[in-house]
Amino acid sequence: MHITDYSEYQTDYQKSLEEPDLFWAEIAEHFHWRKKWNKVLEWDFEKPDIKWFLGAKLNITENCIDRHLESNAEKPALIWEPNDSSEKHKIYSYKDLHSEVCRFANVLKKLGVEKGDRVCIYMPMIPELAFALLACARIGAVHSVVFAGFSANSLSDRINDAAAKLVICSDAMCRGAKQLAVKNTVDEAIKNCTSVEKVLVVNRLDWPIQLKPNFDYLYDIESKGISDHCPATEMDAEDMLFILYTSGSTGKPKGVVHTTAGYMVYAAYSFKNVFQYDNNDIHFCTADIGWITGHSYILYGPLLNGASTVMFEGVPNYPDASRFWQIIEKHSITHFYTAPTAIRSLMQSGSDYVIPYAMHSLKVLGTVGEPINEEAWHWYHTYVGKERCQIVDTWFQTETGGILISALAGISPLCPAHAGQPLPGIQPVLLDNNGNEIVENEIEGYLCIKFPWPSILRTTYGDHERCRQTYFSSYKGYYFTGDGAKRDKNGLYRIIGRVDDVINVSGHRFGTAEIENAVNQNKNVIESAVVGYPHDLKGQGIYVYVICKELPTGEEQNWLRSSIIQTVSEEIGPIAKPDKIQFVSALPKTRSGKIMRRILRKVAEGDSTNLGDITTLLDPLVVEEIINGAVL
Ligand code: WT7
């Protein structure tokens, strides 16, 4: 299970190609199974129908917690760092974690949650968030975490799609200097959710909240005197573990489904090898548990390895831009894993914030979420890593469950801005426009994977056809990632970015159609078109072209802009706020009515020179208007 040098990587990679069943069976031996599998893998990418470790029985929390109790009961499992540096941090040993998760699980049972029920979790980064996920897994309920930055409308859609029976939330949350309501947002969201039978509220800030009798329950009250033992429910390898919503090129986010055994094996295997985790290491991943990075590399991956994992409630620049470095020194962190957007913003705050922190404990740095530009990579390497830490640029997706392409820290060749080589078991290919595999190097192609790995998504919740269409129909026999990539002569992959109508804003994914739908909810808007453009801090910014009943002028424009931004915050959440809004009288459309996004993207990038052939446009004159009115 642990790769210790490059030749071992090569041998394992080869073995995973030649004998995938044997390769994964040997890795799976490292876990605790109630019953072992009868067969390692069955798959068909056309349906798609993918099953791993068929017939096996297990509970992932026994692997995350119980099996470490014998020798590591007192070892810190979860280290929680609060938003305010003056508030005391908390450390939960594996034994503490066991009790907390069991208590939480018993509360869920008391509220009527059963195996297979969907539970929606909408919470800030407090320890109870981790307990809640694990408590669901303990009793076989399916967790669906919704990032707490999403609006009531987004939350409502996700609750309905999964038909969640219970919502777990907090009273409120803090983010930097701000305090924000959480329970109120849930109240707002569930007005339209008939599936929800109860809401469970964890107290964070003592906010006054309204409690509906026999509907809203307080965790503090429900957990009083409850047992801290809860037997783990036996799950089938392919039983659903969680749903996690993510955006695609169509309007509605989809619920990516991960199942128990395959996800467990791959989250653990990838964590161990990419980060080269060693027994006394302390791992700090700055993601939110509301994203796949948080699921796999704050919670499941580290705990499955018996590691100590840090969970941070706050933001990188509060009280100032040295907060991460303070946390690293305070907890003697060895592994620091963050997003390029955070690195760029800290870089912009100035190196003076990081220079005084020696951070002797650090060994490995990671990045994830979007391509990292060379400048940010070098800053990270020089100022944070002090030129002695390994950097791993890890590529993966909500759908892949775990890291598929990355260097293994200290083992594989590194190259700034390159994710690197595939992990053993992963068979990436680049396809050309005709769907043929590109064998040459240095040519950009569509990144696809041609063989399943244990944590590949199994379906999109409630709509299997959508899963097939989105991921398995573009190129027959392949899983299509939606990314474009290049491979260099050494076989290292460089991820270029999305080739579909998905934009990546500060490492968060949005469909352009999804944002357009939101913008169109504003009653002044008749039609809109959204494109991404390069943004210094966020990677990509959101540029919206809007048609209103009449072309607004002066003050009216400012007022409309704020109104549209407000609408998007309400429809999706503040994280999807447009950066630039341009009012136009028409959009460049072909005679068949299709918007020529190529033109809109070029103008948003500030380049109106090579717009290509515009003669097929219904009205080529609109292009000039758009160029002249560009918001730069
Ligand atoms: C998309 C997946 C899984 C991490 C959090 C985002 C982009 C992810 C990298 C990387 C370049 C990356 C891709 C991918 N992406 N990691 N190391 N280098 N691009 O998860 O929301 O499912 O988004 O993020 O475009 O398809 P996600």
Side-chain angles (χ1 to χ4, degrees), residues 307-463:
S308 302
T309 184
V310 176
M311 194 175 162
F312 173 43
E313 185 186 31
V315 291
N317 54 3
Y318 178 79
D320 67 36
S322 64
R323 186 68 194 276
F324 279 164
W325 327 131
Q326 286 173 18
I327 297 175
I328 291 172
E329 292 210 331
K330 177 172 172 187
H331 299 293
S332 302
I333 282 158
T334 56
H335 290 66
F336 178 68
Y337 189 28
T338 195
T341 186
I343 299 169
R344 286 192 297 263
S345 104
L346 294 168
M347 179 169 87
Q348 206 188 47
S349 306
S351 310
D352 288 351
Y353 284 103
V354 59
I355 289 170
Y357 296 88
M359 300 184 279
H360 291 296
S361 55
L362 271 184
K363 298 194 286 195
V364 177
L365 303 175
T367 79
V368 62
E370 53 177 317
I372 180 164
N373 48 310
E374 294 205 18
E375 193 190 356
W377 194 97
H378 287 292
W379 187 85
Y380 200 30
H381 186 248
T382 309
Y383 290 99
V384 183
K386 316 286 181 193
E387 294 181 346
R388 59 176 171 76
C389 297
Q390 296 292 324
I391 296 187
V392 288
D393 176 355
T394 66
W395 175 84
F396 74 115
Q397 310 179 295
T398 306
E399 296 85 345
T400 70
I403 299 165
L404 301 195
I405 302 182
S406 169
L408 310 183
I411 288 185
S412 6
L414 274 189
C415 181
H418 286 67
Q421 290 173 312
L423 266 69
I426 309 303
Q427 302 186 28
V429 290
L430 299 176
L431 301 186
D432 65 18
N433 280 327
N434 303 318
N436 298 318
E437 287 186 23
I438 300 173
V439 289
E440 302 89 347
N441 294 322
E442 304 295 352
I443 298 178
E444 185 176 343
Y446 301 114
L447 179 63
C448 293
I449 321 278
K450 68 171 177 192
F451 194 84
W453 60 99
S455 63
I456 185 174
L457 87 162
R458 302 298 195 266
T459 188
T460 46
Y461 191 79
D463 193 349

Side-chain angles (χ1 to χ4, degrees), residues 1-2 25-33 37 63 67 304:
M1 162 119 170
H2 184 200
E26 282 176 13
I27 290 166
E29 288 294 340
H30 289 85
F31 296 82
H32 172 71
W33 304 90
W37 51 93
N63 284 279
R67 70 174 165 142
L304 285 163

Side-chain angles (χ1 to χ4, degrees), residues 72-90:
N72 278 321
E74 302 305 332
K75 179 175 178 177
L78 188 69
I79 300 170
W80 178 73
E81 176 66 26
N83 177 66
D84 251 293
S85 34
S86 57
E87 190 179 339
K88 183 102 182 71
H89 67 274
K90 291 181 184 169

